[in-house]
Amino acid sequence: MRIPVFSVSSLINQDLKQLTGRFFKELEDECSVTLELQDPAGVGMAEPCVIYIASGGSEIQFAGLMERIQAGRIYLLTSGYSNSLAASMEILSYIRQHGKEGEIIHGSPKICGQKLQAIMAAAGAKRRICKMKLAMVGEPSDWLIASRSDEAVLMERFGIQVVSISLDELVAEYEKHDYREDSWTKRLKTMEFDGRELTKALELYGALDRLVERYGLAGLTVRCFDLLERVKTTGCLGLAILNARGIYGGCEGDLPSLVSMVILGEVSGQPVFMCNPSRIDLEQEEMVFAHCTLPLNMPCAMELKTHFESDIGVAIAGQIPMEEMTVFKISGDLREHYADRGRILENMQDPTLCRTQIKVKLPSYEYFLECPISNHHVICLGDHRQALEYLLDD
């Protein structure tokens, strides 16, 4: 990963150049992070703004730069050489005295590299999210009494635009009984399942796909249970394909969960599983999460089954790799969020739960019993907590 940085120093000599080169090389070797020094003239527009404090005595040089910096948060990278840390502490105090936010990036090359990667992931996610348009297809499901989003806050904080599409419009598209073939539809048609039911589910995918194209959507959430009566199939398969294509698809008209999917997906670059917390083993600190849809590019193996609650349509029973994972949720007003790391222990096949089921080691289970942010949560592989915090604290 290439990271643009600015540098300040009171010293210009061969020893300092060698120490700087050593530090940059350690970051590259440890974390594949390549620091690229930038012309100070560009510091005003830098986002994120990472400044390498090369030595002590550079405080006055930084003060001359700061009035041009427009970034909301300033990251001070230190090497531990030439009084770099001491100067950074003085500079950070100066930053805060002037009403801005900052942080010192200090530690081993591994720690510094990981923080820089998280900073860049958060900044990239922020740029992409601010251009997004999401849709509510139908109203939220009746049981989502606490799962509502403040659309004005979404626009103000993230630049996310939300449009409303009627369920009638989706049904009208479904009644065209058409979908475009892609690699996912071709693969699904080779799998063992009732052909008529698979065709209906793919035609609903086609309807969702046309709405995405018509409105220029980055994601949508559907009042999907109403489809059981109206078109006698489910949205599980269509949402699974859209998610695999990088179009965020959520269930039950749950807009806060769709926004959570967007944030986690853009920060991590990974497919995101929207799911129900279904069971907690307090003694073992283990939880079960389950749902009937997930991105088709997330499981290492899968089979097609019917939708759990209705026993119709097409759902996905996926086997997710047993790796480290992040679970995340943000509230509809964006004031609260939860993010933690766990590990997937087992892919389950419990007939009393939705079709994709994972058992997770997650010590922070108390949150789910004492102060959960509604029902649905979202999960992806890898530990992305730090990048989430950088994005949400900005």
Side-chain angles (χ1 to χ4, degrees):
M1 176 183 288
R2 297 184 178 277
I3 300 178
V5 299
F6 301 88
S7 179
V8 292
S9 172
S10 66
L11 305 172
I12 301 177
N13 58 47
Q14 193 61 34
D15 288 343
L16 183 60
K17 288 181 179 179
Q18 289 177 351
L19 290 174
T20 296
R22 180 195 304 176
F23 179 55
F24 285 17
K25 184 67 165 55
E26 288 170 344
L27 286 170
E28 186 167 5
D29 291 345
E30 188 69 38
C31 294
S32 300
V33 166
T34 301
L35 303 185
E36 298 182 336
L37 291 175
Q38 306 294 301
D39 186 329
V43 73
M45 301 302 295
E47 183 62 66
C49 183
V50 181
I51 299 183
Y52 174 54
I53 310 301
S55 72
S58 56
E59 294 86 344
I60 191 66
Q61 188 179 356
F62 173 84
L65 283 180
M66 198 183 83
E67 62 184 19
R68 289 184 285 163
I69 297 174
Q70 298 182 28
R73 193 177 186 89
I74 303 170
Y75 299 97
L76 306 175
L77 176 63
T78 76
S79 65
Y81 304 131
S82 304
N83 290 319
S84 174
L85 176 58
S88 296
M89 293 168 66
E90 183 72 17
I91 290 169
L92 182 56
S93 296
Y94 181 80
I95 289 170
R96 290 179 171 168
Q97 286 173 2
H98 285 75
K100 296 182 73 71
E101 294 294 323
E103 179 182 347
I104 295 172
I105 307 299
H106 180 74
S108 68
K110 180 178 181 180
I111 288 175
C112 290
Q114 289 174 341
K115 286 191 173 184
L116 289 170
Q117 288 172 332
I119 290 165
M120 294 302 294
K126 183 178 180 181
R127 285 193 295 269
R128 292 186 295 272
I129 290 170
C130 74
K131 301 175 182 177
M132 286 187 176
K133 183 189 293 185
L134 305 179
M136 293 274 295
V137 183
E139 296 295 319
S141 294
D142 294 341
W143 49 86
L144 297 180
I145 59 175
S147 297
R148 299 291 192 275
S149 283
D150 187 325
E151 296 179 17
V153 171
L154 285 176
M155 173 59 78
E156 180 181 356
R157 180 161 179 196
F158 288 126
I160 293 175
Q161 179 183 355
V162 179
V163 298
S164 295
I165 302 173
S166 71
L167 210 59
D168 289 341
E169 187 172 352
L170 174 60
V171 171
E173 286 298 324
Y174 171 76
E175 289 173 349
K176 295 177 181 178
H177 301 294
D178 188 28
Y179 63 90
R180 59 178 172 181
E181 290 278 16
D182 57 33
S183 60
W184 295 110
T185 63
K186 292 176 182 178
R187 178 183 173 188
L188 289 162
K189 287 159 70 172
T190 67
M191 299 178 69
E192 185 176 343
F193 199 75
D194 183 305
R196 290 172 298 179
E197 291 300 319
L198 182 58
T199 296
K200 289 165 63 177
L202 289 174
E203 288 173 351
L204 186 57
Y205 159 61
L208 292 168
D209 185 31
R210 288 189 291 277
L211 292 182
V212 167
E213 186 172 356
R214 179 178 302 159
Y215 289 94
L217 302 177
L220 50 75
T221 181
V222 184
R223 186 181 170 96
C224 44
F225 274 80
D226 284 20
L227 298 172
L228 301 175
E229 288 294 325
R230 297 193 62 173
V231 299
K232 303 299 189 288
T233 191
T234 66
C236 305
L237 193 67
L239 296 173
I241 301 171
L242 288 178
N243 275 300
R245 288 175 43 203
I247 307 297
Y248 297 99
C251 310
E252 302 170 42
D254 186 344
L255 186 54
S257 291
L258 178 63
V259 173
S260 299
M261 294 178 78
V262 167
I263 291 171
L264 183 58
E266 292 303 313
V267 159
S268 68
Q270 296 292 318
V272 180
F273 177 33
M274 173 183 168
C275 50
N276 297 315
S278 301
R279 188 176 300 153
I280 302 176
D281 185 327
L282 305 183
E283 288 79 15
Q284 297 299 317
E285 298 182 337
E286 295 174 356
M287 288 189 62
V288 174
F289 294 88
H291 227 190
C292 282
T293 185
L294 80 165
L296 292 183
N297 59 341
M298 189 172 189
C300 51
M302 64 179 177
E303 59 180 314
L304 304 182
K305 293 188 176 182
T306 56
H307 177 243
F308 169 64
E309 286 90 346
S310 65
D311 200 30
I312 67 171
V314 186
I316 312 296
Q319 304 287 305
I320 301 177
M322 289 184 285
E323 299 176 6
E324 188 175 54
M325 43 72 75
T326 299
V327 58
F328 174 68
K329 183 66 178 292
I330 194 165
S331 62
D333 60 9
L334 307 182
R335 293 180 181 177
E336 300 177 83
H337 70 273
Y338 163 81
D340 202 4
R341 175 185 63 181
R343 177 165 289 275
I344 299 173
L345 302 175
E346 180 184 353
N347 287 279
M348 300 168 52
Q349 295 183 336
D350 186 330
T352 69
L353 297 174
C354 293
R355 303 313 189 188
T356 293
Q357 310 161 14
I358 53 173
K359 182 184 289 185
V360 172
K361 185 73 171 180
L362 193 65
S364 62
Y365 64 84
E366 293 96 342
Y367 151 82
F368 293 91
L369 300 177
E370 297 172 5
C371 53
I373 302 173
S374 303
N375 166 23
H376 297 121
H377 283 63
V378 300
I379 287 173
C380 77
L381 296 178
D383 181 4
H384 305 283
R385 293 171 299 167
Q386 193 162 63
L388 286 167
E389 296 303 326
Y390 280 131
L391 174 63
L392 297 174
D393 288 347
D394 190 4

